[in-house]
Amino acid sequence: MFREMAVFSGNAHRALAEAVCKHLELPLGQCEVFEFSNEEVFVRYLDNIRERDVFIVQPIVSPVNTRLMELWIMIDAAKRASAGRITAVVPYYAYGRSDKKDQPRVPVTARLVANFIEVAGADRVLTIDMHAGQIQGFFNIPLDELTAFPLIAEHFRAAALPQPVVVAPDVGRAKLARELSDRVGGDFAIVDKKRKGNLEQAEAMTLIGEVEGRDCIVVDDEILTGGTIASAVQILRERGARSVRVACVHPVMAPRAFKTLDADGIDELVHTDTLPLVHGKFERTPTSVVSVASMLGDAMHRIHTGGSVGALFR
Ligand code: R5P
């Protein structure tokens, strides 16, 4: 066993790390993480972490490559400070979409990121809703993947929409939409989406399912440009949906997402706080935030005490 827990935050999302610590009734650890004028990252732990169970909270948000370097260097510094065990808590795992060689001469960057986390010295990883579950296999160290979709489903179940239909914005999310429709208490539908090469553009082609006069909830793992969601919203409106709500776990939100999704008549946009909104905020679209802090804190406590993380979801 290791000594007591110690939770630290990089510069990606200190508010989430603080919320996790509040839930755990622990102080957030003291650590300097900054860039010199030549952009090299420097890290120094100000607390003694020798033999302690160290958790480093760092979702990979913009500027993505800087936040990755911070994470790797924080892990390295913790290793060299004789931490007993190091868990990289990465609520959003960036580069998840680069998880296969689907064109000639392209990388599998999701695996490269995993390799670097291991090489830096992490003993475990804790994450939430990766882009594809198979990314777990890129790690040779234990990884716990939590899901925030039950929290999102609970939000909509509490809203007691009269005739809900959970909509997958592409066929890859069909299973998810079916599972969530059971939790919310409604039907499900699927949008068939087409991407235009490597351009960040999506086009909804076909809709499978009945949405006329219904209250639609479009669910996705992440929103980047908002194109996938906007095209799904458009086809749902064309097919006579009474209301359209949107939910995602990871609000990556490139600058243009704030324009795209403020202009599409979305009745509500629900996202979690795995990431901060670094590029702006919505002016017109009503937004709700479902926090993952308690879930993350509970999982970290279970990892520390050797409890079951899976039991959190039963
Ligand atoms: C794709 O498979 C993902 O699940 C999301 O649909 C996608 O990452 C969203 O990207 P964007 O908002 O740029 O359409």
Side-chain angles (χ1 to χ4, degrees):
M1 295 302 287
F2 314 98
R3 286 179 56 216
E4 68 274 23
M5 293 176 78
V7 182
F8 295 92
S9 174
N11 288 320
H13 197 357
R14 197 176 167 87
L16 177 63
E18 283 170 346
V20 167
C21 284
K22 189 168 175 204
H23 179 74
L24 290 169
E25 298 182 356
L26 286 176
L28 183 61
Q30 300 287 309
C31 182
E32 290 178 339
V33 185
F34 65 87
E35 276 184 24
F36 289 113
S37 51
N38 60 2
E39 297 180 15
E40 290 180 2
V41 173
F42 178 77
V43 168
R44 185 163 74 105
Y45 290 93
L46 304 179
D47 300 332
N48 174 13
I49 54 174
R50 194 173 286 271
E51 300 304 329
R52 290 179 73 182
D53 199 5
V54 170
F55 292 82
I56 299 168
V57 181
Q58 181 86 329
I60 310 305
V61 66
S62 174
V64 166
N65 300 324
T66 301
R67 299 304 174 232
L68 274 175
M69 283 303 294
E70 284 182 6
L71 173 64
W72 295 328
I73 294 171
M74 288 180 79
I75 294 169
D76 184 74
K79 194 88 190 163
R80 292 170 195 282
S82 304
R85 178 172 66 176
I86 302 164
T87 301
V89 181
V90 187
Y92 173 67
Y93 188 83
Y95 285 107
R97 299 199 294 186
S98 177
D99 62 348
K100 57 188 155 312
K101 198 171 169 210
D102 55 359
Q103 304 169 45
R105 301 175 294 283
V106 296
V108 181
T109 315
R111 182 187 156 104
L112 191 61
V113 170
N115 289 165
F116 283 161
I117 289 173
E118 279 188 54
V119 167
D123 297 295
R124 310 184 58 92
V125 174
L126 175 62
T127 187
I128 301 178
D129 291 305
M130 297 173 115
H131 181 64
Q134 302 90 300
I135 296 170
Q136 296 170 11
F138 293 165
F139 289 88
N140 295 308
I141 52 177
L143 178 146
D144 292 296
E145 181 181 3
L146 310 179
T147 177
F149 284 112
L151 301 174
I152 289 172
E154 180 55 31
H155 172 91
F156 287 114
R157 209 177 63 77
L161 301 171
Q163 289 188 290
V165 180
V166 179
V167 182
D170 56 40
V171 290
R173 301 289 155 204
K175 182 164 172 271
L176 170 72
R178 191 174 63 237
E179 286 171 1
L180 289 191
S181 66
D182 287 341
R183 286 180 181 267
V184 173
D187 297 325
F188 77 101
I190 303 165
V191 173
D192 175 29
K193 172 182 90 172
K194 192 170 96 174
R195 277 215 180 268
K196 298 174 184 169
N198 288 332
L199 300 175
E200 290 182 314
Q201 288 176 19
E203 188 184 350
M205 308 296 289
T206 321
L207 177 71
I208 304 161
E210 188 50 60
V211 300
E212 189 171 353
R214 309 289 295 272
D215 301 298
C216 295
I217 306 164
V218 189
V219 289
D220 211 345
D221 58 331
E222 66 177 56
I223 297 176
L224 173 55
T225 65
T228 299
I229 293 296
S231 63
V233 171
Q234 186 185 350
I235 199 167
L236 293 172
R237 289 289 185 197
E238 285 167 5
R239 301 293 171 90
R242 175 171 50 195
S243 64
V244 181
R245 290 169 175 78
V246 168
C248 74
V249 174
H250 307 297
V252 185
M253 305 293 180
R256 70 173 132 140
F258 294 94
K259 192 162 171 225
T260 305
L261 299 181
D262 248 0
D264 273 295
I266 295 170
D267 293 282
E268 184 186 15
L269 192 154
V270 179
H271 61 78
T272 79
D273 55 356
T274 56
L275 297 168
L277 300 187
V278 291
H279 292 305
K281 61 185 173 68
F282 293 95
E283 302 293 340
R284 289 164 33 203
T285 301
T287 307
S288 308
V289 179
V290 173
S291 182
V292 297
S294 305
M295 176 178 74
L296 262 184
D298 288 342
M300 288 158 63
H301 186 257
R302 282 163 189 258
I303 289 169
H304 177 62
T305 55
S308 164
V309 172
L312 276 176
F313 299 97
R314 288 200 286 272

